[in-house]
């Protein structure tokens, strides 16, 4: 039951988000976002090494995750 | 139970909307402002136009260009004209791209993107197939090996048609 | 913090102790997703090799960690990534005991010997060596224009520790790909089999060469834990130059979460010459207890990141993470980078600030009263679960040789300061919270 409520909230949240279609750019205006240095995790190897250090020396870990952004092609 | 129905309903809307197809409009296209120039479609009456929108930063464009060179060469005598509209805001990007991947087909430049706006470009790259009567018949979003085959099938089908008027 | 010292016997007869720079169970979600980025022209392989060197002051941990990563982008936009990480560690790390005005002798966790700490010195587990190998494979593929999925597998092994895991995720694009909804799930199983077996929770450390029985402090030869992580995120393009990401993650750990190599000192509360000194047992030896942590942990994290490109091509990257768990720890992480473009090179200063509060069962030491009452269920003196602040200052330099090739290097300095109960009596004269200072150096080459 709790999972269902959570799933409902997420889907509802998605609809709210899609209502925010004010935000964003046209598909042909993604030149800057397509640049490698504008990716959310630009260097995954470095991100992994850093995660390892901080995971070993602190009590928190993770939080980051997926990409998105980029050129939005295809 | 009501929540399950809501959930399923919402998911269905999302899933089904992603498969929505948009196909042809019935009136012939007239003209398209491209940068400082205009593309007049009546100049190409009797030909099949592959109108492609691309940019230097678009990865799949690196695959679509060699294919467009290929279809332009193979179907030119049947009346295929490939016109590629570049949407780079800075022409230098386009020049570098064309140095790496030269094009044998016509390139026009629209850094402001007004032509893309008018044609309602929905993704990059995007091509439109316009038949011999100037009517927009197919919208093709994106490019990969699967789509390449579909695009070519559509082209051949349109080339097989004869001019109506 | 579920991280655990690992041990390995380099030479068969000599049992060594490994410190805790061993993240055998890294969150698989960030491994899977982040490594599938490729410079990605279809049909080509992209490689990245890098090596991290980590060195703490005061003869503490030193590590070298080479990484090899290979990605291939396929015709239809699928990406395969293969990664291998090697990890060699040496040095010492704090064992949880408090420093004392008198020399201390500790039994090695393997039970094969002892090590001595001079009066006033920080009690650290001395030299060891350990090597770990981790391999991962991940796959990312579009389903159609609006949906994408990913899957990954992971495994790591060292002499006494095994970790295996898998993850999967979905991405749903909306608003002409201006919005992406991300969902990910990962599952990990870790097994530890230390030399000298697992210690019983909160049992007294057996002193070798006395009437103490080492074996009676042992509780099985191995133990395990499982970790489930779930991530819900939104990536949103704000405008042509700005992108943001918001993630909520949930992490559930279950099983053996204790560090089998950490102990706590028991401190004498009797008025007199030894007030605040170590409590002695019948044989005149210091009493230390093996630590014990709960057997489950639930963590919630909220993460927000923004990347903004300036008109000159420079990029600002800022993020904030808030973490809350059922061990009573909450933390804040601020991370900021500025990429200063210099033609085909760049300089990137980096600043990170981290603050965490202590776990409910964190205790720098156990008092005589608590020890005699005998009703402590969990206790740890591991500074990594205590009240601490960490600051990292770094600089990265990179140079692009061409579109696909880059060389880079970075130097960072990490300073961690802890705080807490300052003790009483003799204990007040000791430095209970020494700083942790580390120098980080990394070189990388992608081609």
């Amino acid at each position: 039951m709790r999972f269902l409520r959570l799933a409902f909230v997420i889907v509802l949240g998605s609809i709210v988000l899609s209502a925010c279609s004010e935000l964003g750019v046209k598909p042909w205006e993604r030149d800057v976002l397509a640049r490698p240095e504008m990716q959310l995790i630009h260097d995954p190897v470095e991100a992994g090494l850093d995660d390892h250090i901080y995971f070993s020396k602190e009590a928190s870990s993770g939080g980051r995750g997926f990409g998105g952004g980029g050129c939005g092609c295809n | 139970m009501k929540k399950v129905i809501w959930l399923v309903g919402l998911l269905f809307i999302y899933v089904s909307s992603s498969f929505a197809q948009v196909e042809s409009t019935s009136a012939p296209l007239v003209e398209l402002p491209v940068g400082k120039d205009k593309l007049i479609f009546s100049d190409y009456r009797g030909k099949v136009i592959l109108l492609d929108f691309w940019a230097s930063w678009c990865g799949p464009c690196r695959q679509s260009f060699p294919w467009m060179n290929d279809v332009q060469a193979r179907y030119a005598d049947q009346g295929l004209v490939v016109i590629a509209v570049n949407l780079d805001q800075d022409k230098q990007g386009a020049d570098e791209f064309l140095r790496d991947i030269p094009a044998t087909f016509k390139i026009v430049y629209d850094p402001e993107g007004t032509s893309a706006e008018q044609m309602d470009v929905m993704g990059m790259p995007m091509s439109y197939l316009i038949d011999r009567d100037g009517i927009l018949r197919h919208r093709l979003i994106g490019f990969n090996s699967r789509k390449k085959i579909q695009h070519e099938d559509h082209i051949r089908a349109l080339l097989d048609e004869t001019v109506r008027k | 913090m579920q991280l655990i010292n690992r041990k390995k016997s380099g030479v068969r007869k000599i049992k060594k102790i490994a410190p805790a720079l061993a993240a055998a169970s890294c969150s698989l979600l960030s491994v899977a997703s982040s490594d599938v980025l490729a410079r990605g022209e279809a049909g080509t392989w992209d490689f990245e090799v890098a090596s991290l060197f980590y060195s703490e002051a005061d003869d503490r941990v030193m590590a070298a960690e080479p990484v090899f990563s290979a990605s291939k982008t396929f015709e239809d936009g699928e990406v395969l990534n293969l990664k291998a990480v090697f990890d060699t560690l040496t040095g010492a790390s704090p064992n949880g005991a408090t420093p004392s005005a008198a020399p201390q002798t500790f039994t090695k966790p393997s039970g094969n010997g002892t090590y001595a700490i001079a009066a006033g010195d920080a009690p650290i587990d001395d030299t060891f060596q350990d090597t770990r190998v981790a391999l991962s494979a991940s796959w990312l593929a579009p389903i159609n224009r609006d949906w994408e999925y990913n899957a990954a597998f992971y495994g790591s092994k060292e002499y006494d520790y095994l970790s295996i895991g898998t993850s999967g995720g979905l991405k749903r694009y909306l608003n002409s790909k201006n919005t992406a909804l991300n969902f990910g799930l990962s599952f990990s199983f870790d097994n530890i089999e230390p030399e000298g077996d697992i210690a019983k929770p909160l049992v007294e450390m057996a002193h070798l060469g006395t009437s103490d029985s080492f074996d009676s402090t042992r509780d099985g030869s191995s133990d395990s834990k499982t970790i489930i992580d779930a991530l819900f995120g939104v990536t949103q393009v704000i405008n042509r130059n700005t992108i943001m990401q918001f993630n909520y993650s949930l992490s559930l750990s279950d099983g053996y979460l204790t560090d089998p190599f950490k102990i706590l000192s028991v401190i004498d509360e009797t008025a007199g010459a030894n007030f605040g000194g170590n409590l002695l047992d019948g044989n005149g030896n210091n009493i230390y207890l093996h630590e014990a942590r709960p057997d489950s942990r639930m963590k919630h994290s909220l993460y927000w990141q923004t990347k903004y490109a300036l008109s000159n091509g420079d990029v600002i990257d800022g993020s904030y993470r808030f973490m809350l768990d059922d061990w009573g720890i909450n933390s804040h992480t601020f991370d900021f980078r500025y990429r200063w473009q210099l033609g085909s090179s760049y300089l990137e200063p980096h600043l990170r600030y981290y603050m965490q509060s202590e776990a409910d069962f964190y205790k720098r030491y156990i008092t005589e009263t608590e020890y005699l009452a005998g009703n402590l269920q969990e206790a740890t003196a591991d500074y990594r679960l205590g009240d601490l602040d960490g600051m990292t200052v770094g600089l990265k330099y990179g140079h692009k040789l061409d579109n696909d090739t880059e060389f880079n290097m970075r130097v960072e300095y990490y300073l961690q300061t802890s705080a807490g109960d300052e003790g009483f009596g003799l204990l007040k004269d000791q430095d209970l919270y020494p700083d942790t200072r580390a120098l980080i150096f990394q070189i990388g080459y992608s081609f």
Side-chain angles (χ1 to χ4, degrees):
Chain A
M1 209 39 220
R2 211 186 288 167
F3 172 79
L4 205 60
R5 199 177 302 152
L6 182 67
F8 182 79
V9 168
I10 290 161
V11 178
L12 192 67
S14 320
I15 297 190
V16 169
L17 283 168
S18 45
C20 292
S21 46
E22 312 295 312
L23 288 174
V25 293
K26 298 286 178 190
W28 59 92
E29 291 173 334
R30 295 187 73 127
D31 52 336
V32 174
L33 298 166
R35 289 186 210 153
E37 57 270 17
M38 276 301 282
Q39 304 316 304
L40 288 161
I41 301 178
H42 162 54
D43 189 338
V45 165
E46 178 178 319
L49 289 168
D50 266 351
D51 280 353
H52 184 168
I53 295 171
Y54 297 116
F55 177 83
S56 308
K57 305 312 282 184
E58 298 168 353
S60 317
S61 63
R64 286 202 282 203
F66 291 80
C71 86
C73 296
N74 274 4
Chain B
M1 194 54 208
K2 204 168 157 213
K3 279 190 186 155
V4 176
I5 296 169
W6 261 102
L7 186 61
V8 172
L10 290 167
L11 278 172
F12 179 76
I13 291 168
Y14 273 142
V15 173
S16 57
S17 64
S18 62
F19 288 109
Q21 304 273 348
V22 183
E23 286 303 345
S24 48
T25 53
S26 47
L29 296 175
V30 181
E31 65 179 30
L32 186 69
V34 176
K36 297 190 200 75
D37 300 316
K38 266 198 265 247
L39 194 64
I40 316 271
F41 289 100
S42 56
D43 293 347
Y44 297 91
R45 208 38 81 80
K47 304 258 191 213
V48 171
I49 307 173
L50 173 64
L51 182 67
D52 182 79
F53 288 85
W54 69 282
S56 62
W57 45 264
C58 152
C61 298
R62 302 189 103 87
Q63 281 176 275
S64 67
F65 262 56
W67 173 75
M68 288 195 288
N69 279 333
D70 179 41
V71 293
Q72 174 68 104
R74 278 192 286 127
Y75 297 114
D77 52 358
Q78 289 184 51
L80 178 70
V81 177
V82 177
I83 303 172
V85 183
N86 172 260
L87 297 169
D88 272 84
Q89 301 209 7
D90 179 0
K91 190 163 180 287
Q92 195 192 347
D95 293 340
E96 277 173 21
F97 182 100
L98 292 169
R99 262 201 301 274
D100 284 344
I101 307 173
T104 56
F105 45 83
K106 184 183 169 84
I107 310 267
V108 290
Y109 297 86
D110 187 6
E112 303 285 302
T114 37
S115 58
E117 190 80 62
Q118 189 170 317
M119 293 297 293
D120 192 25
V121 165
M122 295 190 282
M124 290 296 286
M126 183 150 178
S127 355
Y128 300 84
L129 278 173
I130 296 150
D131 69 13
R132 298 185 193 273
D133 296 313
I135 295 171
L136 172 62
R137 299 289 292 277
H138 295 286
R139 289 185 176 87
L140 312 160
I141 314 176
F143 190 85
N144 58 35
S145 57
R146 230 179 323 127
K147 293 187 199 227
K148 181 161 65 166
I149 300 168
Q150 287 172 11
H151 288 15
E152 202 165 327
D153 287 345
H154 288 313
I155 291 172
R156 268 201 296 271
L158 293 183
L159 287 170
D160 285 344
E161 291 174 3
T162 50
V163 179
R164 233 173 282 147
K165 298 180 202 155
Chain C
M1 165 84 174
Q2 50 262 44
L3 234 301
I4 293 174
N5 280 338
R6 303 92 84 253
K7 296 192 305 171
K8 171 211 156 173
S9 70
V11 177
R12 199 172 292 178
K13 298 271 178 355
I14 304 166
K15 308 288 166 50
K16 312 263 188 173
I17 301 161
L21 188 59
S25 53
C26 297
S27 166
L28 195 59
L29 288 174
S30 49
V31 167
S33 57
S34 57
D35 279 81
V36 293
L37 283 177
R39 266 147 290 129
E41 267 195 55
T44 61
W45 279 97
D46 292 310
F47 300 96
E48 187 168 353
V49 298
S51 194
L52 177 81
F53 300 94
Y54 175 91
S55 174
E56 287 175 2
D58 305 319
D59 295 321
R60 286 175 50 183
V61 172
M62 278 200 348
E65 191 168 338
V67 182
F68 303 90
S69 173
S71 292
K72 174 150 184 183
T73 308
F74 293 86
E75 290 267 299
D76 292 346
E78 307 98 326
V79 184
L80 171 72
N81 175 265
L82 302 169
K83 186 159 109 159
V85 184
F86 303 88
D87 200 328
T88 58
L89 284 148
T90 59
S93 75
N95 65 13
T98 52
S100 167
Q104 304 184 70
T105 303
F106 300 98
T107 304
K108 291 186 180 181
S110 63
N112 292 339
T114 62
Y115 59 100
I117 298 293
D121 279 1
I124 49 180
D125 272 344
D126 71 331
T127 50
F128 73 96
Q129 286 184 93
D130 208 331
T131 311
R132 179 181 71 105
V133 180
L135 300 172
S136 67
S138 61
W139 176 254
L140 175 100
I143 297 170
N144 58 33
R145 285 209 74 230
D146 297 327
W147 290 87
E148 194 180 272
Y149 76 92
N150 62 73
F153 294 95
Y154 166 89
S156 85
K157 184 81 183 75
E158 50 206 278
Y159 179 70
D160 58 3
Y161 200 98
L162 169 74
S163 174
I164 52 176
T166 180
S167 74
L170 276 179
K171 191 198 293 285
R172 203 323 178 167
Y173 290 104
L174 300 166
N175 301 337
S176 307
K177 295 205 169 167
N178 281 302
T179 309
L181 301 178
N182 302 307
F183 171 67
L185 201 60
S186 87
F187 178 80
S188 181
F189 173 79
D190 290 7
N191 193 69
I192 182 168
E193 198 169 332
E195 293 219 43
D197 298 351
I198 305 276
K200 287 180 182 159
L202 296 175
V203 73
E204 280 176 50
M205 184 193 83
H207 288 276
L208 296 184
T210 69
S211 56
D212 295 348
S213 155
F214 180 82
D215 290 337
S216 67
T217 64
R218 302 292 111 177
D219 187 15
S221 60
S222 71
D223 215 329
S224 65
K225 69 178 188 256
T226 55
I227 307 164
I228 300 176
D229 286 284
L231 180 143
F232 303 91
V234 184
T235 306
Q236 177 69 48
V237 171
I238 306 296
N239 59 36
R240 188 165 157 254
N241 301 304
T242 316
I243 186 164
M244 285 191 190
Q245 181 171 76
F246 302 87
N247 293 333
Y248 163 72
S249 10
L250 176 68
S251 177
L252 302 166
S253 312
D254 205 84
Y256 183 70
L257 307 182
T258 301
D259 186 328
F261 311 119
K262 296 267 189 279
I263 56 180
L264 293 104
S265 301
V266 182
I267 303 297
D268 195 342
E269 278 175 308
T270 313
N274 201 35
F275 180 71
N278 291 76
L279 187 69
L280 302 177
D281 65 11
N283 296 328
N285 293 314
N286 290 347
I287 300 179
Y288 305 103
L289 302 184
H290 287 278
E291 72 152 51
R293 301 183 193 186
D295 57 12
S296 72
R297 183 180 185 190
M298 173 156 72
K299 298 194 309 193
H300 303 270
S301 294
L302 285 173
Y303 175 79
W304 172 49
Q305 182 185 6
T306 302
K307 280 194 104 142
Y308 174 70
L310 284 82
S311 50
N312 61 9
D314 291 353
V315 179
I316 298 178
D317 182 344
S319 70
Y320 167 71
R321 175 187 63 187
F322 172 68
M323 194 280 289
L324 183 71
D325 74 5
D326 65 355
W327 282 6
I329 303 173
N330 57 61
S331 76
H332 304 272
T333 313
F334 298 90
D335 201 300
F336 179 82
R337 268 167 234 267
Y338 185 92
R339 176 168 290 217
W340 183 24
Q341 302 280 30
L342 304 158
S344 54
S345 305
Y346 63 86
L347 264 181
E348 189 175 279
H350 172 223
L351 194 66
R352 178 183 184 274
Y353 190 66
Y354 177 79
M355 327 187 277
Q356 85 179 33
S357 66
E358 63 182 45
D360 294 334
F361 53 92
Y362 172 81
K363 308 175 83 53
R364 187 63 190 91
Y365 55 88
I366 290 176
T367 64
E368 181 181 4
T369 319
E370 287 166 327
Y371 166 67
L372 293 172
N375 48 18
L376 275 176
Q377 295 293 319
E378 294 123 7
T380 182
D382 188 342
Y383 72 98
R384 293 163 308 174
L385 292 185
D387 183 335
L388 60 82
D389 285 4
M391 175 136 92
T392 309
V393 189
L395 185 65
K396 181 173 181 183
Y397 168 75
H399 177 67
K400 278 180 122 69
L401 289 91
D402 62 45
N403 266 335
D404 297 317
T405 315
E406 180 180 304
F407 162 75
N408 57 58
M409 54 188 255
R410 69 177 173 136
V411 181
E412 303 211 310
Y413 177 69
Y414 180 49
L415 173 67
Q416 208 182 63
T417 56
S418 301
D421 184 341
E422 293 286 344
F424 53 89
L426 292 171
L427 203 52
K428 278 183 105 70
D429 300 332
Q430 301 299 328
D431 180 7
L432 299 182
Y433 305 99
D435 294 341
T436 300
R437 283 164 290 147
L439 203 61
I440 296 161
F441 175 67
Q442 179 190 312
I443 46 169
Y445 186 62
S446 49
F447 57 100

